Amino acid sequence: MFRRYDHLTTTCESREPITTTGCSQSVLKGEEVSSKFADRIARVQPSAIRELLKYGDDPAITSFGGGYPDPSLFPVAELQQVFADVLANEGATALQYTASVGLPGLRAQIAKRMSNQGAATDADDVLVLQGAQQGLDLVAKLLINPGDVIVTENPTFLGALIAFNPCQPEYAAVDMDSEGMDVDALEATLRSTENVKFIYVIPDFQNPTGVTLSLERRRRLIELANEYDVLILEDSPYRELRFEGQQLPTLRSLDTENRVIHLGSFSKILAPGVRLGWVSAAPEILDKLGLLKLAADTQSSTLNMTATTRFLESFDIDAHIERARAVYRAKRDLMLSSMAEHFPAEVAVTTPEGGLFTWVTFPEGFDAEAFMAEHALPEAGVAYVPGGSFFPAEQRSNYARFSYSGQSDEEMVDALTRLGGILREHI
Amino acid sequence: MFRRYDHLTTTCESREPITTTGCSQSVLKGEEVSSKFADRIARVQPSAIRELLKYGDDPAITSFGGGYPDPSLFPVAELQQVFADVLANEGATALQYTASVGLPGLRAQIAKRMSNQGAATDADDVLVLQGAQQGLDLVAKLLINPGDVIVTENPTFLGALIAFNPCQPEYAAVDMDSEGMDVDALEATLRSTENVKFIYVIPDFQNPTGVTLSLERRRRLIELANEYDVLILEDSPYRELRFEGQQLPTLRSLDTENRVIHLGSFSKILAPGVRLGWVSAAPEILDKLGLLKLAADTQSSTLNMTATTRFLESFDIDAHIERARAVYRAKRDLMLSSMAEHFPAEVAVTTPEGGLFTWVTFPEGFDAEAFMAEHALPEAGVAYVPGGSFFPAEQRSNYARFSYSGQSDEEMVDALTRLGGILREHI
């Protein structure tokens, strides 16, 4: 009934064998090539994210795996208009190189949004990035020597781990509860751990858990960073997608010693396909990140930066975000109610106040990855992200991340109904 | 008469002081912040490229510094059409995430172009990048442990050095002549140097010298790589801009043991502002580069990849390139004849058969950087790139890179006339 799930059973190998067709004979054998790789490459391995993104293209599978925003929310007509205007009126400039730090107009627009959120920010305090993901790569390059420690939430964003890993850090993962990272456990970690360079945290609707860091803990986190003299990397791509409860201040706005490096993104509030995000931080940090950006890819797309600037000048992105919030709230409600109705009572889920994900806890001993390969995919045609790889240190098998952003209502309910039936057979 | 040149005299500091305006007090002092930086950051310093790009925006300065292609060559109308079509007909898909390796259609188009150039290539042999610059960053990450040696041409592309530097390589720079890298000197270097990981070479219309590696030397380079068991990184962004002489085979097409990692770019044949390039290499290498790409920035812009694919499907890029070649040939001719007419006889220049640059050799003892700051900018309103920073090891002061791609004919002649007059006063 459902195709292409069988390869999921071998998760440690590449699922994209890239074959060459003989512009040259591959005389250099695979093991000879890999003997030339740098030491850091031992930590560069295929991840569950890359695997899971593929199910998004398979019509026979309903994937709750990707972090794809709902494409029906993309402001296609407005972007069509700004791209047409930009190419008609300033095409030669928009297709040329520009400064690696990003277009001044876009930096100003981002600074205005950050200022409105309580962190007074100038255009010069902003560096435009190729999505927030690039910020994870550049910050690790800036700060991490092999063996340095990054403190993370436990679990944390898999994409951050794969960005950090080439710099060969150690991880100290601090458990979370419904208010986010346990700050008492954090303090114990900071007290007992040498060489901590920064604390990586996703305060709003965390990926993968959907949990939000409480205000009290935000304040405590800043205090602890000051006390133990470490930096904070605040990753905030989902922040504006809050659909209930009160918006909390960013860590950057609570920062008292300019220790917070803040990452933002247009992927979830505009569209991922333009690949634009940003970082704001202390001037000494931002200056070096700008040099690393120049070295890494020269600059982000001038055309996309210009068009996004014009979009922000010409249209009301806040009204657009408001529409997105309503859609995601309804989708979250539908996912949670479907899970409550169809999943066994032993399965717990988080109730995110925003963002794209809920985190599913199966009973102890349940193997979410094996269950997906053996039952969810072949019997229900359903994919999710098994939770194990979100744990930086000791992987736990009885968790999964579900995104409610990528399916139609009917498809979501049907798939969760099918999955719930199969879960009931096995739990 | 000319503004904004005085800061050029202090080239070791950042020219973009980024100030913060008090979302927080900068209690953490600059030296405290920099004490947290990773060891690799000692090698991440502001470069002449970043400085010189700024003169491109100053109407009072004629800059021969940037590697900007001529914007009048950008196919603006055609791109306007494909962006409009893509957003109208496949907007939701083109604005969504896609596979990190790049769109299959674009990979196929690139593979076809590479196959047509003699290196049989499948779509799966191609990884789409954020410009060829990203390939430099990813290949260094893949191969270089601190202290490993990269063999380069002497001089070489400054952008490559800044991409490689964070991986803390050593450089062995091999001198060039009018046929490119001296392969006898290369052999001596390979024989006497341990831990060489790869040879970095720009075979066609090299940046900065404009020199092309001869066919005989290309063959010898491949033999030496095989004999000494090292890889070759072939950086080929200018290759298709040959405007005279016979096109020579790529190193990738001459490769007998799959040792050549080939970088290409749309920046010079389409437009830099779309930020698209590619790498093709042995499968084991490409697979790891794909993982590093995913970690670094998730993917290149889906929208730009889709529109570029449609452009390649709908329009004749070869006819477009043919027009560009004619323009650059005329510009090169004008630059060389103007230099011959107005520069002192003691100044030598290369005669590139393609690409964007000529390399100027001043007499021994001439300091091209000091001359630019003290005379060329204030007295002639002319900028170029002083050659020193293109030398990986021992910098030489009496060289400069001039690009003939970015000015109108009249502005070019006027500026070179002014510069020649001042050079005659000092040489």
Side-chain angles (χ1 to χ4, degrees):
Chain A
M1 171 179 183
F2 299 106
R3 294 178 291 107
R4 283 218 282 145
Y5 49 80
D6 51 344
H7 61 268
L8 210 262
T9 50
T10 55
T11 50
C12 289
E13 294 171 27
S14 166
R15 222 68 64 244
E16 286 180 359
I18 296 166
T19 52
T20 194
T21 52
C23 66
S24 54
Q25 298 164 286
S26 187
V27 176
L28 199 65
K29 293 191 181 65
E31 64 265 33
E32 290 171 346
V33 175
S34 59
S35 73
K36 299 187 181 306
F37 293 166
D39 297 339
R40 67 180 71 82
I41 300 304
R43 303 220 3 211
V44 177
Q45 299 297 335
S47 77
I49 280 189
R50 190 163 84 152
E51 301 320 307
L52 267 294
L53 287 176
K54 291 177 197 165
Y55 294 108
D57 298 330
D58 186 341
I61 300 289
T62 296
S63 174
F64 299 105
Y68 285 29
D70 183 342
S72 73
L73 290 169
F74 299 155
V76 178
E78 292 87 345
L79 287 171
Q80 195 177 348
Q81 185 178 322
V82 292
F83 271 92
D85 288 350
V86 163
L87 285 165
N89 300 321
E90 46 186 327
T93 309
L95 292 166
Q96 187 57 283
Y97 287 110
T98 190
S100 60
V101 292
L103 289 181
L106 184 58
R107 298 168 81 196
Q109 289 278 349
I110 293 166
K112 192 172 77 176
R113 294 193 73 75
M114 289 201 62
S115 298
N116 289 344
Q117 293 179 21
T121 306
D122 273 358
D124 285 346
D125 302 326
V126 172
L127 171 67
V128 179
L129 298 174
Q130 187 75 354
Q133 180 73 27
Q134 187 172 46
L136 303 169
D137 176 60
L138 299 185
V139 168
K141 271 183 181 164
L142 177 69
L143 297 172
I144 299 298
N145 286 317
D148 283 348
V149 175
I150 302 173
V151 174
T152 72
E153 294 153 321
N154 197 37
T156 189
F157 175 43
L158 178 54
L161 299 177
I162 66 171
F164 299 156
N165 280 342
C167 291
Q168 300 164 279
E170 302 296 324
Y171 295 107
V174 176
D175 280 343
M176 308 172 68
D177 60 24
S178 61
E179 289 183 55
M181 182 185 271
D182 178 338
V183 285
D184 294 328
L186 171 63
E187 178 166 23
T189 296
L190 292 173
R191 197 185 309 121
S192 63
T193 311
E194 289 188 4
N195 298 326
V196 173
K197 279 294 181 70
F198 65 88
I199 303 165
Y200 172 67
V201 59
I202 306 163
D204 301 292
F205 331 122
Q206 196 238 16
N207 183 351
T209 63
V211 163
T212 296
L213 189 66
S214 69
L215 178 57
E216 189 185 355
R217 290 196 186 174
R218 288 173 196 235
R219 296 209 162 103
R220 184 76 185 124
L221 182 58
I222 298 290
E223 286 171 6
L224 288 170
N226 292 346
E227 183 178 343
Y228 288 92
D229 187 22
V230 299
L231 300 173
I232 294 173
L233 178 56
E234 176 178 42
D235 190 7
S236 211
Y238 316 106
R239 173 173 177 77
E240 302 208 58
L241 298 183
R242 176 179 279 280
F243 38 68
E244 69 184 24
Q246 198 184 346
Q247 190 65 296
L248 299 178
T250 61
L251 295 172
R252 179 89 179 129
S253 72
L254 297 172
D255 190 6
T256 55
E257 297 186 358
N258 225 345
R259 292 179 180 277
V260 176
I261 303 169
H262 178 98
L263 301 179
S265 174
F266 285 108
S267 291
K268 309 305 188 288
I269 59 175
L270 183 60
V274 298
R275 299 307 302 134
L276 291 174
W278 64 88
V279 57
S280 185
E284 300 84 357
I285 290 173
L286 207 64
D287 190 48
K288 289 294 183 191
L289 291 176
L291 294 172
L292 289 169
K293 163 77 178 169
L294 176 66
D297 66 2
T298 315
Q299 56 162 100
S300 290
S301 163
T302 318
L303 178 61
N304 293 1
M305 288 196 285
T306 308
T308 299
T309 308
R310 299 292 168 263
F311 177 89
L312 295 169
E313 290 166 353
S314 309
F315 297 99
D316 183 353
I317 194 174
D318 292 312
H320 170 68
I321 294 169
E322 198 55 48
R323 284 190 295 276
R325 287 186 187 120
V327 169
Y328 289 127
R329 178 172 44 230
K331 284 185 173 290
R332 178 210 58 177
D333 289 346
L334 189 63
M335 175 168 275
L336 295 190
S337 65
S338 298
M339 287 176 162
E341 184 176 348
H342 299 290
F343 281 17
E346 295 85 349
V347 178
V349 304
T350 60
T351 302
E353 296 186 328
L356 307 178
F357 306 111
T358 186
W359 182 244
V360 175
T361 304
F362 299 102
E364 286 283 337
F366 185 90
D367 186 330
E369 184 171 332
F371 183 81
M372 183 163 114
E374 293 162 16
H375 301 288
L377 281 164
E379 296 168 21
V382 171
Y384 48 77
V385 188
S389 49
F390 294 102
F391 294 93
E394 194 185 345
Q395 301 208 342
R396 301 175 191 172
S397 68
N398 61 316
Y399 295 92
R401 190 192 74 179
F402 280 68
S403 167
Y404 40 82
S405 61
Q407 314 77 31
S408 70
D409 290 358
E410 189 184 352
E411 187 181 5
M412 181 195 285
V413 172
D414 286 353
L416 292 175
T417 305
R418 294 197 303 272
L419 181 62
I422 293 168
L423 280 169
R424 284 177 191 277
E425 293 173 21
H426 291 86
I427 290 177
Chain B
M1 172 179 182
F2 298 107
R3 295 178 289 108
R4 284 218 280 143
Y5 49 79
D6 52 344
H7 61 269
L8 211 263
T9 50
T10 54
T11 50
C12 287
E13 294 171 26
S14 166
R15 223 67 62 245
E16 286 180 0
I18 296 164
T19 52
T20 194
T21 52
C23 67
S24 54
Q25 297 164 286
S26 187
V27 176
L28 200 64
K29 294 191 181 65
E31 65 265 33
E32 291 171 345
V33 174
S34 58
S35 73
K36 298 186 182 306
F37 293 166
D39 297 339
R40 68 180 69 84
I41 300 304
R43 307 233 344 224
V44 178
Q45 299 297 334
S47 78
I49 280 189
R50 190 163 84 151
E51 301 321 306
L52 268 294
L53 287 177
K54 289 176 197 166
Y55 294 109
D57 297 332
D58 186 341
I61 300 289
T62 296
S63 174
F64 299 105
Y68 285 29
D70 183 342
S72 73
L73 291 168
F74 299 155
V76 177
E78 292 87 344
L79 287 171
Q80 196 177 347
Q81 184 178 323
V82 292
F83 272 92
D85 287 351
V86 163
L87 284 165
N89 300 321
E90 46 186 327
T93 308
L95 291 166
Q96 187 58 283
Y97 288 110
T98 189
S100 60
V101 291
L103 290 181
L106 184 57
R107 298 168 79 195
Q109 290 278 350
I110 293 166
K112 193 172 76 177
R113 293 192 73 75
M114 290 200 61
S115 297
N116 289 344
Q117 293 179 20
T121 306
D122 272 359
D124 285 346
D125 301 326
V126 172
L127 171 67
V128 179
L129 298 174
Q130 186 74 356
Q133 181 72 27
Q134 187 173 44
L136 303 170
D137 176 60
L138 300 185
V139 168
K141 271 183 181 164
L142 177 69
L143 296 173
I144 300 298
N145 285 319
D148 283 348
V149 176
I150 303 173
V151 175
T152 71
E153 293 153 323
N154 196 38
T156 189
F157 175 43
L158 178 55
L161 298 177
I162 67 171
F164 299 156
N165 279 343
C167 291
Q168 301 164 279
E170 303 295 324
Y171 294 108
V174 177
D175 279 343
M176 308 172 68
D177 59 23
S178 61
E179 288 184 57
M181 181 185 271
D182 178 337
V183 285
D184 293 330
L186 171 63
E187 180 166 22
T189 297
L190 292 173
R191 198 185 306 119
S192 62
T193 312
E194 289 188 2
N195 297 327
V196 173
K197 279 296 181 68
F198 64 88
I199 304 166
Y200 171 67
V201 59
I202 307 164
D204 300 292
F205 332 122
Q206 195 238 16
N207 183 350
T209 63
V211 164
T212 295
L213 189 67
S214 68
L215 179 57
E216 190 185 353
R217 290 197 185 174
R218 286 173 197 236
R219 294 209 164 104
R220 185 76 185 123
L221 182 58
I222 297 291
E223 286 172 7
L224 288 170
N226 292 346
E227 183 178 344
Y228 288 91
D229 187 22
V230 300
L231 300 173
I232 294 173
L233 178 56
E234 176 179 42
D235 189 7
S236 212
Y238 316 106
R239 173 174 176 76
E240 301 209 58
L241 298 183
R242 176 179 280 279
F243 39 66
E244 68 184 25
Q246 197 183 346
Q247 190 66 295
L248 298 178
T250 60
L251 296 171
R252 178 91 179 127
S253 73
L254 297 172
D255 189 7
T256 54
E257 296 186 357
N258 224 344
R259 292 180 181 276
V260 176
I261 303 169
H262 178 97
L263 301 180
S265 174
F266 285 108
S267 291
K268 310 304 187 288
I269 59 174
L270 183 61
V274 298
R275 300 306 303 133
L276 291 174
W278 65 88
V279 56
S280 185
E284 300 84 356
I285 290 173
L286 207 63
D287 190 48
K288 289 294 184 190
L289 291 175
L291 294 172
L292 289 169
K293 163 77 177 168
L294 176 67
D297 67 2
T298 314
Q299 56 162 100
S300 291
S301 162
T302 318
L303 179 61
N304 294 0
M305 288 195 286
T306 308
T308 299
T309 309
R310 297 293 168 263
F311 176 89
L312 295 169
E313 290 167 352
S314 308
F315 297 99
D316 183 353
I317 193 173
D318 292 312
H320 170 67
I321 294 168
E322 197 56 47
R323 284 190 295 275
R325 286 187 188 119
V327 168
Y328 289 128
R329 179 172 43 227
K331 284 184 174 289
R332 179 211 58 177
D333 289 345
L334 189 63
M335 174 168 276
L336 294 191
S337 64
S338 300
M339 286 176 165
E341 183 177 349
H342 299 289
F343 281 17
E346 295 85 348
V347 179
V349 304
T350 59
T351 301
E353 295 186 327
L356 306 179
F357 306 111
T358 186
W359 182 243
V360 175
T361 304
F362 299 102
E364 287 282 338
F366 184 91
D367 186 331
E369 184 170 332
F371 183 81
M372 182 162 116
E374 293 163 17
H375 300 290
L377 281 164
E379 297 166 22
V382 171
Y384 49 76
V385 188
S389 51
F390 294 102
F391 293 92
E394 195 184 345
Q395 300 207 342
R396 302 175 192 172
S397 67
N398 60 317
Y399 296 92
R401 190 193 74 180
F402 280 67
S403 166
Y404 42 80
S405 62
Q407 313 78 29
S408 69
D409 290 357
E410 188 184 354
E411 187 181 5
M412 181 195 285
V413 172
D414 287 352
L416 293 175
T417 305
R418 294 197 302 273
L419 182 62
I422 294 169
L423 280 169
R424 285 178 190 277
E425 293 173 22
H426 292 86
I427 289 177

